[in-house]
Amino acid sequence: MKTIEFSGKTGICKILLGRSFSELGDFCAVDRAVLVVDENVFRHHEKKLAGYPVIIVEPGEKNKCLATVDRIYERFLDLNVDRSSMVIGVGGGITCDITGFAASTFMRGIPFAFAPTTLLALVDASVGGKNGVNYHGYKNLVGTFNQPGLVLTDFSFLGTLPHEELKNGFAEVVKHALIGNGPLFDHLEEEWRAVTSLDYGKIEEVVSHSLAVKIGIVSLDETEKGERRKLNFGHTVGHAIEKATGYSHGEAVSVGMVAAAKLSELKGTLGTDDVNRIERLLRGFHLPTRLPEDKEAIIEALSRDKKREGDDIHFVLLEGIGRATIERITIAELREVLRDLC
Ligand code: NAD
Ligand code: ZN
């Protein structure tokens, strides 16, 4: 059990690792707590959540929208939620993002917390202060920057998480190791079997180091002006793959990270041995390292990337395992690497 404190512009966020959800009452007034819970999480863990008023959120990106937020506001009114309340999002990244946004905007901001139930939400979505919803087909277009006061992590939620969803989290853990913690990468190479079999002790260690990378980067750049771009490692190509194919986020980012590693190799900042190590570890987590057949659609999606400037694109590369750097690369260089990845 470990506590990490992160001091952001909008307040202090306390992250309690490896606790039990039943401890929630130690951190907030039980009679003022309201849970916003993912429907699947509620189905699997109803007993654990008993005793609190619950607002259910339907799963899926299509429900990460203003209509859901509107429904939550209505329930807040029914439940007399006010600034003395504590709203706790219990679910994956979607629930955390919606809850953070609803709580940040209701009455111009009421206290909120997260109990992340997916590995991705544990290591990524629950920290960093970004929240929001999709709008007219644009992901996360409407939102705020605001830290939760508390993140209570109970790893036992992961017991019911489908393996495919776990893989999304593993991809982000590998990303954090690659951009900011070389020893974590070495550790994952040794322990990936124990981690994939959900040994909670090992999970806590990995989550804690992974979070430290994200927090370290976010602390330097809360509102995404420079340093925070490093968190996009593997995501430029990853998002294009996700759009153009049926790959999940984690699968797409996995191939995106291999593409970025190969580009780094091409630029001479990463050795071939390290590229091979990265591919091997990703395969250990059952993540793909090669592109699906439709390469042209992916290149087309990349060419429309909103971060593109002329023929260049800001791209996160590696200077060895554990160190990221932001460079401008050309679409032609990217094409060359993608051709290699088929
Ligand atoms: P998710 O919230 O959709 O959850 C994935 C699936 O798992 C859902 O079907 C959900 O119902 C189910 N589920 C969740 N917990 C479960 C459990 N313990 N047992 C069984 N089923 C469970 O997906 P996610 O991958 O956690 O999050 C993705 C979202 O996070 C995206 O919308 C993304 O934009 C957002 N995100 C936000 C940030 C941020 O900084 N705010 C960072 C990364 C991702
Ligand atoms: Zn991601």
Side-chain angles (χ1 to χ4, degrees), residues 217-235:
I217 289 176
V218 171
S219 311
L220 294 173
D221 175 21
E222 262 188 84
T223 48
E224 200 158 53
K225 296 198 176 67
E227 189 72 10
R228 194 161 179 159
R229 287 183 180 164
K230 289 183 180 170
L231 293 169
N232 271 332
F233 178 69
H235 280 62

Side-chain angles (χ1 to χ4, degrees), residues 21-35 48-54 79 81 84-88 150 152:
F21 187 80
S22 61
E23 292 175 58
L24 181 64
D26 298 347
F27 305 99
C28 65
V30 174
D31 60 339
R32 298 305 300 145
V34 171
L35 311 184
K48 213 182 288 190
L49 309 174
Y52 297 99
V54 167
L79 294 164
V81 167
S84 70
S85 306
M86 172 66 103
V87 177
I88 300 111
L150 176 77
L152 179 67

Side-chain angles (χ1 to χ4, degrees), residues 4 7 11 36 66 89-90 96 106 130 135 186 232 284 307 334 341:
I4 305 176
S7 177
V36 178
L66 288 174
V90 187
C96 293
F106 190 75
K130 275 197 197 177
Y135 188 72
D186 302 343
N232 271 332
K307 293 185 189 87
L334 247 184
L341 273 185

Side-chain angles (χ1 to χ4, degrees), residues 270-311:
L270 188 72
T272 307
D273 279 359
D274 284 341
V275 178
N276 293 336
R277 283 174 68 197
I278 294 169
E279 290 197 39
R280 210 175 310 126
L281 180 62
L282 291 169
R283 282 197 297 270
F285 286 123
H286 298 117
L287 286 161
T289 56
R290 289 290 176 270
L291 281 176
E293 59 308 325
D294 198 2
K295 186 186 50 142
E296 279 312 314
I298 293 158
I299 292 172
E300 172 61 26
L302 265 173
S303 309
R304 285 193 313 257
D305 191 294
K306 59 179 188 283
K307 293 185 189 87
R308 183 182 160 181
E309 286 169 25
D311 274 345

Side-chain angles (χ1 to χ4, degrees), residues 98-154:
I98 296 173
T99 306
F101 179 67
S104 299
T105 46
F106 190 75
M107 297 180 79
R108 296 194 186 82
I110 56 174
F112 68 101
F114 295 142
T117 65
T118 66
L119 186 60
L120 183 133
L122 276 162
V123 299
D124 196 352
S126 64
V127 293
K130 275 197 197 177
N131 53 60
V133 294
N134 306 327
Y135 188 72
H136 284 221
Y138 293 95
K139 271 208 81 182
N140 305 319
L141 190 70
V142 178
T144 61
F145 280 104
N146 197 12
Q147 307 287 345
L150 176 77
V151 178
L152 179 67
T153 75
D154 178 338

Side-chain angles (χ1 to χ4, degrees), residues 171-237:
E172 305 294 348
V173 168
V174 173
K175 177 191 82 177
H176 286 156
L178 287 173
I179 63 173
N181 189 336
L184 173 60
F185 188 90
D186 302 343
H187 180 75
L188 289 169
E189 284 185 313
E190 279 162 31
E191 297 286 5
W192 62 267
R193 276 194 186 80
V195 175
T196 43
S197 64
L198 291 187
D199 173 326
Y200 292 149
K202 306 276 185 211
I203 289 273
E204 175 166 342
E205 213 175 336
V206 163
V207 167
S208 138
H209 287 111
S210 183
L211 274 176
V213 172
K214 175 149 187 190
I215 290 169
I217 289 176
V218 171
S219 311
L220 294 173
D221 175 21
E222 262 188 84
T223 48
E224 200 158 53
K225 296 198 176 67
E227 189 72 10
R228 194 161 179 159
R229 287 183 180 164
K230 289 183 180 170
L231 293 169
N232 271 332
F233 178 69
H235 280 62
T236 307
V237 172

Side-chain angles (χ1 to χ4, degrees), residues 38 40-41 44-45 59 61 64 92-94 97 117-118 120-121 124-125 127 130 139-140 157 160-162 165 214:
D38 174 284
N40 287 324
V41 173
H44 289 292
H45 301 278
E61 283 291 337
K64 187 175 155 178
I94 289 188
D97 280 5
T117 65
T118 66
L120 183 133
D124 196 352
V127 293
K130 275 197 197 177
K139 271 208 81 182
N140 305 319
F157 281 116
T160 56
L161 188 67
E165 297 296 340
K214 175 149 187 190

Side-chain angles (χ1 to χ4, degrees), residues 66-86:
L66 288 174
T68 301
V69 175
D70 188 60
R71 217 170 37 75
I72 293 174
Y73 290 153
E74 272 182 40
R75 295 280 288 126
F76 281 172
L77 284 177
D78 293 344
L79 294 164
N80 294 320
V81 167
D82 61 23
R83 290 207 182 96
S84 70
S85 306
M86 172 66 103

